Amino acid sequence: MAKTYQYCVAENWGKGFIDHNESSRITFVGYPGNVWQVPAYNKHGNLWIAKVAGTVKTRDEAQAIVDAEVQAAQAAWDALPDAEKAPAVESNTRPTDITLED
């Protein structure tokens, strides 16, 4: 059976946003735009979304938020002078597109 996910938007406030017990029970994936992926049909995931006052989004809504953030980052990178784009370090690359899982 394939894993299914749900998405929510919740602002990470730092310490306590994801506590130790939650991280041992839930697999979290964070994306640009404060989009969070958690397992669907999961009691602990639903409790966490309520705790952080997350707003549940469909996959398409979450994808649109992520796309907008990535496109803004790409535009900012494209606007840099060529000298700043030179890969002095490996992490100095243009942001890539992200596709959310169903």
Side-chain angles (χ1 to χ4, degrees):
M1 180 183 199
K3 286 192 175 196
T4 56
Y5 300 101
Q6 62 182 336
Y7 296 91
C8 75
V9 173
E11 187 172 342
N12 184 342
W13 63 72
K15 187 174 181 173
F17 183 70
I18 299 173
D19 67 32
H20 176 73
N21 289 332
E22 292 162 341
S23 67
S24 67
R25 293 179 176 175
I26 309 167
T27 302
F28 295 93
V29 179
Y31 293 100
N34 289 316
V35 173
W36 294 89
Q37 174 190 328
V38 297
Y41 314 110
N42 181 290
K43 172 181 142 181
H44 302 292
N46 292 335
L47 289 170
W48 177 80
I49 291 170
K51 177 191 107 172
V52 299
T55 303
V56 175
K57 300 290 183 183
T58 66
R59 185 201 163 279
D60 291 339
E61 291 170 332
Q63 185 69 60
I65 295 166
V66 170
D67 288 347
E69 290 290 322
V70 169
Q71 289 168 1
Q74 290 172 337
W77 195 89
D78 291 342
L80 291 173
D82 287 340
E84 289 186 39
K85 292 179 187 176
V89 292
E90 250 182 69
S91 63
N92 189 22
T93 59
R94 187 175 191 266
T96 58
D97 292 333
I98 298 170
T99 302
L100 302 179
E101 299 177 58
D102 284 327

